[in-house]
Amino acid sequence: MRAPTGRASRTTLSAVLATALLAGAVAATATPVSAASTPAAPAVRLSAATQGLPPDWVARGSGYFTTNDASDMLHYQVVTAGSGVPSDQVRFKLQAFDRSIAWKTLVMPNGLGSRWDISIDPYWGRYTAENSLWAHEVDNGQSLELWKSGFLNTGRRVLYIGDLAALPGGSLVTFTWLDDD
């Protein structure tokens, strides 16, 4: 369930981040991010053709996408060189900076029967979370899953993210949830 915000339908992320920082809403677990490095949502809603990520999303390096919920807008970025991630790992990060966004989870399976939840809940001050797979585990044909809060706070899957085998060891993949009106 979303909290009332009393804000305009589109608030810039930099304004939201500044407000959260001034109000002390950023929890100690949040990763500091400057407003300049936070991607802003595109001014025009993406068409249904951009739902999900294209098969070459890793090669593209970054972009915007939606889920099967028309209110969602996300940005992704793949950093390979200079990511700070050891070359035998691939790190996945989920983040959001708008306090009115309810909980989100990125389910990260290793394709061998194990899976881990990377969960955030900006409304309660958890703006970022991350976890890693061994580099050889992204080549097992699995897909990441994006989940979000649904009716009565029950979770619902809104997107599968495949084509993980294209991620080289040492990659940092960041998914930023921009809008969930």
Side-chain angles (χ1 to χ4, degrees):
M1 179 177 288
R2 294 186 47 161
T5 62
R7 63 182 172 94
S9 62
R10 286 255 182 226
T11 303
T12 64
L13 287 175
S14 58
V16 170
L17 183 57
T19 302
L21 289 172
L22 289 174
V26 177
T29 59
T31 303
V33 175
S34 71
S37 66
T38 304
V44 176
R45 178 66 68 180
L46 298 175
S47 71
T50 59
Q51 179 178 320
L53 296 168
D56 64 343
W57 68 274
V58 173
R60 290 182 186 204
S62 69
Y64 295 92
F65 64 101
T66 63
T67 70
N68 63 18
D69 183 334
S71 67
D72 295 334
M73 176 65 65
L74 291 92
H75 180 266
Y76 77 92
Q77 181 173 18
V78 179
V79 176
T80 53
S83 68
V85 177
S87 63
D88 61 346
Q89 298 176 25
V90 173
R91 184 168 300 149
F92 296 96
K93 182 176 182 179
L94 181 62
Q95 62 186 14
F97 299 103
D98 183 341
R99 184 178 169 146
S100 69
I101 292 178
W103 69 263
K104 308 290 183 238
T105 297
L106 178 67
V107 177
M108 181 186 71
N110 68 355
L112 303 171
S114 296
R115 54 192 274 153
W116 297 268
D117 290 349
I118 303 170
S119 297
I120 60 172
D121 194 343
Y123 180 75
W124 292 104
R126 180 146 174 93
Y127 292 90
T128 185
E130 59 186 52
N131 204 340
S132 299
L133 289 174
W134 295 111
H136 68 274
E137 291 179 325
V138 297
D139 196 13
N140 290 328
Q142 76 272 35
S143 295
L144 302 173
E145 299 174 17
L146 278 175
W147 287 71
K148 67 186 277 186
S149 175
F151 182 69
L152 296 177
N153 208 28
T154 58
R156 63 188 176 108
R157 183 178 38 243
V158 292
L159 189 66
Y160 287 102
I161 300 171
D163 303 303
L164 305 181
L167 291 165
S171 295
L172 171 62
V173 182
T174 304
F175 296 101
T176 304
W177 213 290
L178 300 172
D179 198 7
D180 186 12
D181 282 338

